[in-house]
C-alpha cells in the first residue's frame, strides 16, 4: 500500500493551488459583500412583513403608506448629515452603529407584533428609526466599498457586489413572502433584526489601516459645503443626478401606482405584474454578469444610453402589453439599467477623491430618492386629470427627454475609463479622466 507521502513524491512537484478568490476581491470587499447579502436577504422580506403587520393590526392601505413615509422622511432628512459624518469618522464604525440601530428597531418591531397589538404610531416611530439608520449607513457603505477596490478590475468588483445584492434581494423577497404566509410577519421582522446583527458583526472586522487618517475639519456645515462644491463642480455628476431625480420618480410612480392598477384591470390580477417585477430583478442580475466581462471605454456614454430602456415599462403599461410582453420589457430594462449602475459606480470611484466619497454619494442618493414621494403622491391626480394611458406616456416621454438632454453634456459623452494607477498612488482630486483624443479634453453615476 502506497503512503500519501510516497504518492505525492511519485506525482512530482505540486502545482500551486488557485486562490479561492480573485486578487481584486480582498478581505474588506469580501466582508462587505457577505454583509450586504445578509442584510438584503432580511430587508426585502421585512418590507413585505411590515406592510402585513400594519394590515394585520387593523390598518388599511393609507396606514401602510404612513409607515412607508415614516421610513422615507428621515432617510431624506439625514442623508447629507450621514455623508458628512462618514467622511469625518472611520466609515466602518458608522456602518456598525447604523446596523445596531436597525437591529434594535426591527427587533422591537418584531416583539410588538409577536406579543400584542402594535399601535400605528409605534410602527411609524420604529420605521422612522430604521430610516434614520439607513440614512447614516448608505453613504458610509458606498464610500467604504469604493475605498476597498482598486485597479482595472473595479468595475468587475462593483458588478459582482451589485449582482450579489440583487440576487439576495430577489431571494429575500420570495422567502419573506413564503415565511409570512407560514409563520407570520413578526418572525420575518425578527429574522431581519438577526440579519442586521450578523452584518454589523462582519463589518466590525473591516480593516481601515490603509485609509489615510481624516484631517480635522472646520465643522459639519463646512464639510457639507465642501461636498457640495465637489458635487456641483462636475457637470457630468450633477446633470445625471438631476436626470435621475425625475427619472426615478416617474418610473417608481408608474410601477408602484399604475402597474398594479393595469394588472388588476387589464392583465387579470396581481400574478402577471409580480412575474414582470421578478423579470426585472432577473434582468439586473443578467446586467451585472455582462458588466463583469464588459469594460466600456466611455463609461457614462455607455451607461446613459442604457437609461433609454427605462421608458419601456411605462409605455408597455400604457398600451398595455400582454403579460409575456411586459416580462420581456422588464427583463431588458433590468439588464440595461444595471449597465448604467456599474458604469456610474466605476466613474465615481475613478473621479471622486476618497475623502469625499461619502458626501458625494449622499448628494447622489438624495437626488435619486427626493422626488419619489412627490411623484407617487401626484400619480393619482395626474390619472384623474389626463387619464391613465396619457399619464404613463408622459412618464415614458420624460425619461426619453431627460436622458437625451444629459447626452448633450460634453463630459458625459467624453469621460473615459483610466488605466489603473500603480499601487499606492494617491487619487488626484482634480484630475480629469476625459480622454484627450480627437474630440478634445474636457473636465469630467440608482
Amino acid at each position: 500500500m502506497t503512503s500519501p507521502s510516497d504518492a505525492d513524491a511519485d506525482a512530482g512537484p505540486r502545482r500551486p493551488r488557485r486562490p479561492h478568490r480573485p486578487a481584486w476581491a480582498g478581505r474588506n470587499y469580501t466582508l462587505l459583500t457577505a454583509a450586504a447579502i445578509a442584510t438584503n436577504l432580511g430587508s426585502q422580506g421585512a418590507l413585505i412583513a411590515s406592510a402585513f403587520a400594519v394590515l394585520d393590526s387593523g390598518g388599511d392601505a393609507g396606514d401602510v403608506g404612513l409607515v412607508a413615509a415614516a421610513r422615507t422622511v428621515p432617510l431624506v432628512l439625514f442623508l447629507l448629515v450621514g455623508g458628512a459624518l462618514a467622511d469625518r469618522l472611520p466609515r466602518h464604525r458608522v456602518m456598525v452603529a447604523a446596523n445596531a440601530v436597525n437591529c434594535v428597531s426591527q427587533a422591537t418591531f418584531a416583539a410588538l407584533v409577536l406579543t400584542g397589538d402594535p399601535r400605528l404610531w409605534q410602527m411609524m416611530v420604529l420605521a422612522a428609526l430604521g430610516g434614520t439608520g439607513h440614512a447614516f449607513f448608505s453613504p458610509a457603505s458606498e464610500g467604504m466599498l469604493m475605498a476597498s477596490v482598486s485597479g482595472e478590475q473595479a468595475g468587475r468588483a462593483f458588478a459582482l457586489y451589485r449582482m450579489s445584492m440583487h440576487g439576495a434581494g430577489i431571494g429575500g423577497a420570495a422567502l419573506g413572502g413564503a415565511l409570512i404566509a407560514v409563520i407570520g410577519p413578526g418572525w420575518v421582522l425578527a429574522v431581519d433584526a438577526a440579519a442586521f446583527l450578523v452584518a454589523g458583526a462582519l463589518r466590525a472586522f473591516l480593516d481601515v489601516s490603509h485609509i489615510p487618517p481624516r484631517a480635522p475639519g472646520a465643522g459639519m456645515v463646512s464639510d457639507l459645503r465642501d461636498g457640495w462644491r465637489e458635487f456641483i463642480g462636475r457637470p457630468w455628476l450633477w446633470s445625471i443626478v438631476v436626470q435621475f431625480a425625475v427619472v426615478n420618480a416617474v418610473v417608481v410612480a408608474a410601477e408602484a401606482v399604475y402597474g398594479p392598477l393595469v394588472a388588476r384591470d387589464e392583465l387579470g390580477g396581481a400574478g402577471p405584474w409580480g412575474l414582470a417585477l421578478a423579470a426585472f430583478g432577473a434582468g439586473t442580475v443578467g446586467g451585472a454578469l455582462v458588466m463583469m466581462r464588459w469594460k466600456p471605454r466611455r463609461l457614462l456614454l455607455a451607461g446613459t444610453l442604457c437609461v433609454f430602456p427605462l421608458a419601456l415599462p411605462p409605455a408597455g403599461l400604457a398600451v398595455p402589453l400582454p403579460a409575456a410582453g411586459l416580462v420581456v420589457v422588464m427583463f431588458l430594462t433590468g439588464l440595461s439599467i444595471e449597465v448604467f449602475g456599474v458604469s456610474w459606480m466605476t466613474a465615481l470611484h475613478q473621479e471622486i477623491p476618497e475623502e469625499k466619497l461619502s458626501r458625494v454619494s449622499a448628494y447622489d442618493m438624495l437626488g435619486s430618492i427626493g422626488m419619489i414621494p412627490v411623484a407617487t403622491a401626484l400619480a393619482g391626480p395626474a390619472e384623474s386629470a389626463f387619464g391613465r394611458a396619457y399619464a404613463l406616456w408622459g412618464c415614458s416621454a420624460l425619461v426619453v427627454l431627460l436622458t437625451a438632454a444629459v447626452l448633450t453634456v460634453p463630459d458625459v459623452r467624453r469621460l473615459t475609463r483610466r488605466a489603473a494607477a500603480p499601487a499606492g498612488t494617491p487619487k488626484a482630486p482634480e484630475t480629469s479622466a476625459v480622454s484627450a483624443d480627437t474630440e478634445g479634453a474636457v473636465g469630467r453615476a440608482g
Side-chain angles (χ1 to χ4, degrees), residues 48-138:
I48 305 170
S50 63
F52 276 93
V54 175
L55 296 174
D56 290 349
S57 67
D60 56 17
D63 294 330
V64 173
L66 286 174
V67 173
R71 182 182 298 108
T72 304
V73 170
L75 174 59
V76 172
L77 289 177
F78 293 113
L79 257 176
L80 296 182
V81 176
L85 192 68
D87 279 340
R88 177 179 286 265
L89 301 176
R91 292 188 181 111
H92 70 305
R93 293 183 182 174
V94 178
M95 295 166 70
V96 171
N99 283 165
V101 170
N102 287 122
C103 177
V104 170
S105 66
Q106 291 297 74
T108 306
F109 200 160
L112 287 174
V113 174
L114 290 171
T115 60
D117 183 20
R119 306 296 182 186
L120 178 62
W121 70 266
Q122 294 172 324
M123 293 185 283
M124 289 179 65
V125 168
L126 292 170
L129 191 59
T132 303
H134 190 50
F136 285 89
F137 171 82
S138 291

Side-chain angles (χ1 to χ4, degrees), residues 246-261 273 314 317 371-380 392 395:
V246 178
V247 168
N248 279 345
V250 298
V251 169
V252 169
E255 296 183 0
V257 179
Y258 299 137
L261 297 175
W273 183 235
L317 290 169
M371 292 289 291
I372 290 176
V374 177
T376 52
L378 292 176
L392 283 163
C395 293

Side-chain angles (χ1 to χ4, degrees), residues 196-276:
F196 278 116
L197 181 64
V198 170
L202 289 171
R203 289 165 177 143
F205 289 100
L206 291 168
D207 179 13
V208 295
S209 60
H210 64 290
I211 298 176
R214 307 286 185 228
M220 183 70 69
V221 174
S222 177
D223 287 349
L224 289 173
R225 287 175 182 166
D226 195 28
W228 173 253
R229 285 192 293 268
E230 188 72 33
F231 173 80
I232 204 66
R234 299 174 184 269
W236 62 268
L237 179 56
W238 63 257
S239 63
I240 289 180
V241 170
V242 170
Q243 170 203 12
F244 268 86
V246 178
V247 168
N248 279 345
V250 298
V251 169
V252 169
E255 296 183 0
V257 179
Y258 299 137
L261 297 175
V262 172
R264 182 195 65 188
D265 298 340
E266 307 288 347
L267 302 178
W273 183 235
L275 187 60

Side-chain angles (χ1 to χ4, degrees), residues 325 379 434:
V434 180

Side-chain angles (χ1 to χ4, degrees), residues 135-184:
F136 285 89
F137 171 82
S138 291
S141 174
E142 187 153 347
M144 191 71 205
L145 175 65
M146 292 185 185
S148 299
V149 299
S150 60
E152 295 181 356
Q153 299 301 325
R156 177 175 290 186
F158 296 143
L160 179 59
Y161 179 85
R162 290 172 65 91
M163 182 174 65
S164 301
M165 283 204 314
H166 291 316
I170 294 168
L175 182 61
L179 289 176
I180 289 168
V182 175
I183 60 176

